[in-house]
Amino acid sequence: MSEQLALLGGKPVIEGELAPYRSVGEKEEAAVIEVIRSGCLSGFYGSPGPEFLGGPKVRAFEDAWKTRYGVKHAVSVNSATSGLSCAAAAVGISPGDEVICPPWTMSATVITALTYGGIPVFADIDEDTFCIDPKSVASLITAKTRAVVAVNLFGHPAPLAELRALCDKHGIYLIEDNAQAPIASEHGRATGTIGHIGVFSLNYHKHIHTGEGGICVTADDTLAARMQLVRNHGENVTSMLPDGDLTNMVGFNLRLSEMAAAVGLVQLSDVDRHVEKRERIAEALTEGTKDLDGWIVPKVREGCRHNYYQWVVRYDAAAVGVSRELFAKALTAEGFPIFPGYVAPLYRLPVFRERKAIGRDGWPFTLTDRTYQDGLCPVTERLHAEEAMLFEPCAYAVDDDLLERLVAAVRKVHAGRGQLNAIAGKAAQ
Ligand SMILES: *Cc1c(COP(=O)(O)O)cnc(C)c1O
């Protein structure tokens, strides 16, 4: 007899809500106080001169980032969404240009190119790593393609070297949305540094954060200067443009504050610790549950480091004999918060379904015949509708005892699946 499931009135394996993990502490507090006492909360000025590139903390933060990642340029911004906008502007996305991207990601990955008139073209993903599939990308490249946006989803590297070679062959840009993979790697190379531009997030929900924030890296002097201009009212500062090309050089204010940069400096110095903590939790969950039938634990592609923004399992309802939704409900009742599905394929968003984005007339979709119906990306649709189950270990303070219980909760629900069959049978009568 299996133990009675909490969903059916048994005792939950984990009682009470999980506590959130806090990455910020006394060092961040001291760093912010130092900035406040200095009186200078932002050193930016949107006109030519030394202040165009920000104050001392912003510059120190960007320098530290360059050192850590071994990159030539780092451009901090107030979010990864802003960073993706800077990247789209810098690579010259123009109305009607196609941008190939995955449909299973946070919406900003694709919307930022759209605001420059770019036409998102959705490539399917790989069912093992959930990242964009280079074969699908290759099949979608046309004379109109300007860029590919690859997402290192859930912390796992997309096939970046392969994508970079493909993009270089076609003379198009590879932008990495590296919001979820701060220190992931592919064959020893850091994610974010393999594409022409890599964009990191420093949002509260990410491995390390400054509340809101982001940072773009590139090896290319021109792309870096363009991103600096878009960040800070670039129309006033075009004398800084290395090549004089005014394409997309209308600026915004996407600047990071001195306080956020000061917090970022501390967070960056502790990034290994914060990420390793998440990796350890994910690896223990994998180790403790990998033998269960119909429960396919996360795979790590050979030569890759996975940072586990989310721990994502593929669930095989036929093998387990219980629907994914009911299993997730039973697991949540045991105190293990897991949710089915992740986001729906982005082409289901009204902006694509109704082909209406900027202005009243549906621009930029007026420039393309592409439509956004179901069936575009069958692997993504299947993972979303049937298989994926997500747990965000990173978001919680998980000690060894809790880790054991998380594993025990999965094993208990799996062992008690017969009990779930009984209620599912009843509900069906
Ligand atoms: C969080 C996230 C973003 C957006 O980051 P912000 O800093 O909140 O703008 C973009 N892409 C992905 C994949 C993300 O997870």
Side-chain angles (χ1 to χ4, degrees):
M1 260 294 284
S2 58
E3 219 185 318
Q4 187 167 34
L5 298 179
L7 186 63
L8 304 175
K11 189 170 150 28
V13 179
I14 299 152
E15 294 197 82
E17 302 234 322
L18 302 188
Y21 174 72
R22 283 176 62 108
S23 67
V24 296
E26 283 170 14
K27 284 190 288 182
E28 284 81 357
E29 188 181 329
V32 169
I33 288 171
E34 184 198 321
V35 171
I36 290 185
R37 292 198 177 141
S38 80
C40 173
L41 308 193
S42 173
F44 274 108
Y45 214 58
S47 57
E51 290 166 311
F52 177 67
L53 295 176
K57 290 294 179 194
V58 161
R59 289 173 194 225
F61 179 47
E62 292 177 347
D63 285 343
W65 203 277
K66 286 189 267 187
T67 305
R68 164 80 205 206
Y69 289 90
V71 287
K72 188 157 180 211
H73 302 282
V75 181
S76 62
V77 279
N78 58 8
S79 71
T81 303
S82 299
L84 288 161
S85 281
C86 287
V91 304
I93 301 293
S94 298
D97 284 355
E98 293 187 337
V99 179
I100 300 174
C101 45
W104 219 38
T105 172
M106 201 246 153
S107 63
T109 309
V110 309
I111 296 298
T112 39
L114 185 72
T115 60
Y116 284 91
I119 308 292
V121 174
F122 291 100
D124 213 346
I125 60 178
D126 166 54
E127 65 174 10
D128 286 330
T129 62
F130 316 124
C131 292
I132 196 166
D133 178 352
K135 287 194 295 298
S136 180
V137 172
S139 75
L140 293 167
I141 292 176
T142 70
K144 288 188 170 170
T145 310
R146 181 86 186 172
V148 174
V149 185
V151 182
N152 300 314
L153 193 70
F154 305 137
H156 191 288
L160 296 167
E162 190 180 348
L163 288 168
R164 175 69 194 250
L166 182 66
C167 287
D168 286 344
K169 187 175 108 189
H170 289 275
I172 60 180
Y173 290 99
L174 177 62
I175 298 169
E176 282 183 66
D177 178 339
N178 198 42
Q180 302 185 355
I183 54 168
S185 60
E186 183 187 50
H187 298 294
R189 297 169 70 195
T191 56
T193 68
I194 301 170
H196 297 87
I197 296 175
V199 180
F200 295 73
S201 176
L202 297 164
N203 170 269
Y204 172 66
H205 299 283
K206 300 298 163 29
H207 297 70
I208 58 168
H209 75 95
T210 58
E212 303 287 354
I215 193 157
C216 306
V217 302
T218 183
D220 186 296
D221 298 346
T222 306
L223 292 176
R226 288 181 171 282
M227 292 195 286
Q228 287 166 340
L229 267 83
V230 173
R231 167 176 73 178
N232 189 10
H233 309 288
E235 62 280 359
N236 296 320
V237 198
T238 47
S239 55
M240 270 195 53
L241 260 182
D243 60 356
D245 177 2
L246 288 174
T247 304
N248 296 340
M249 290 301 107
V250 286
F252 296 89
N253 175 349
L254 309 176
R255 308 174 310 209
L256 197 64
S257 77
E258 285 289 284
M259 287 173 293
V263 172
L265 267 167
V266 181
Q267 288 269 294
L268 178 63
S269 71
D270 285 336
V271 64
D272 297 291
R273 179 163 63 84
H274 296 310
V275 175
E276 279 161 16
K277 182 211 134 270
R278 293 191 183 211
E279 289 172 341
R280 208 176 63 83
I281 296 165
E283 281 157 12
L285 291 173
T286 294
E287 215 33 55
T289 63
K290 66 181 182 191
D291 60 311
L292 302 176
D293 274 347
W295 182 261
I296 306 161
V297 294
K299 293 197 175 126
V300 181
R301 193 158 48 85
E302 199 232 304
C304 287
R305 178 173 179 183
H306 190 330
N307 286 166
Y308 296 101
Y309 179 62
Q310 309 255 20
W311 184 70
V312 181
V313 168
R314 273 172 63 203
Y315 182 80
D316 180 345
V320 181
V322 173
S323 78
R324 178 181 64 166
E325 281 61 26
L326 186 54
F327 196 96
K329 218 168 137 187
L331 200 45
T332 303
E334 298 297 340
F336 185 125
I338 194 153
F339 50 104
Y342 192 49
V343 297
L346 291 178
Y347 47 80
R348 289 189 188 155
L349 288 174
V351 56
F352 296 112
R353 282 295 208 248
E354 297 178 26
R355 295 176 25 113
K356 185 154 185 173
I358 311 293
R360 282 185 290 271
D361 300 328
W363 188 90
F365 299 111
T366 45
L367 308 173
T368 183
D369 294 331
R370 290 204 184 261
T371 53
Y372 297 95
Q373 66 287 354
D374 272 4
L376 282 181
C377 299
V379 176
T380 308
E381 290 179 20
R382 169 166 52 86
L383 287 165
H384 167 67
E386 297 167 26
E387 295 180 9
M389 292 231 260
L390 279 74
F391 173 58
E392 203 173 2
C394 13
Y396 303 108
V398 180
D399 61 14
D400 287 345
D401 173 60
L402 182 54
L403 199 43
E404 266 176 42
R405 287 165 186 268
L406 288 167
V407 169
V410 177
R411 302 197 71 87
K412 178 182 169 188
V413 174
H414 195 272
R417 61 193 183 278
Q419 299 172 38
L420 291 172
N421 272 329
I423 62 158
K426 248 191 229 139
Q429 275 166 18

